[in-house]
Amino acid sequence: MEKTKYSASTLTALSVDILLQLEAHPLFRDAHSVLMYYSMNDEVQTHEFVHRWSSEKNILLPAVVGDELELRRFTGTDDLAVGSYGIAEPTDELVTNYDCIDLVVVPGLAFDRLGQRLGRGKGYYDRLLPQIKAPKLGICFPFQLVDEVPSEPFDVRMDGVITLSEK
């Protein structure tokens, strides 16, 4: 996983193609309320995607509060404030009814073909995902898809992983 060998423009181009696959996925097409993430520089870049789809779907984004992730509705860039880890986070209404979520799109440092995910080690998603019944899709760059991700009993397996085939 040598992310340093990829330029920002390459990651942007890869992100566009990966997000086109997400848009075409039946789980995304059928979802009314989607928990996404507002990307960091080394993740599939979701900023434009979140903005574009927020006019058609209820887009929720996580906000770090202490050791937990709170979910808040994305209503536009005026609603974002820089939070923990330098990530823009929404400040709009808190969402506590996780049953309203139709799909969760999850970032990770690595995924394997069985849907196991390697996060950043803080456990935020490990604590959040078991509370959400909706299907979970990981999205990643091709170099983040590996043969095996070590897993623990508490790890939540993704229902699918979207990436591009390496040519």
Side-chain angles (χ1 to χ4, degrees), residues 35-38 50 59-65 70-83 87-95:
L35 171 56
M36 290 286 301
Y37 65 94
Y38 214 65
V50 165
I59 301 292
L60 307 176
L61 297 175
V64 176
V65 178
E70 286 186 352
L71 304 185
R72 296 185 178 274
R73 197 166 150 263
F74 175 80
T75 58
T77 51
D78 292 344
D79 176 38
L80 295 175
V82 176
I87 303 169
E89 300 174 341
T91 57
D92 197 62
E93 68 186 80
L94 179 66
V95 175

Side-chain angles (χ1 to χ4, degrees), residues 51-113:
H51 291 258
R52 184 170 24 129
W53 281 101
S54 66
S55 64
E56 295 183 40
K57 295 181 184 285
N58 184 33
I59 301 292
L60 307 176
L61 297 175
V64 176
V65 178
D67 290 334
E68 304 299 325
L69 291 178
E70 286 186 352
L71 304 185
R72 296 185 178 274
R73 197 166 150 263
F74 175 80
T75 58
T77 51
D78 292 344
D79 176 38
L80 295 175
V82 176
S84 300
Y85 310 104
I87 303 169
E89 300 174 341
T91 57
D92 197 62
E93 68 186 80
L94 179 66
V95 175
T96 56
N97 177 11
Y98 296 164
D99 290 340
C100 76
I101 300 170
D102 300 313
L103 176 65
V104 182
V105 179
V106 185
L109 293 178
F111 292 90
D112 66 23
R113 285 171 174 72

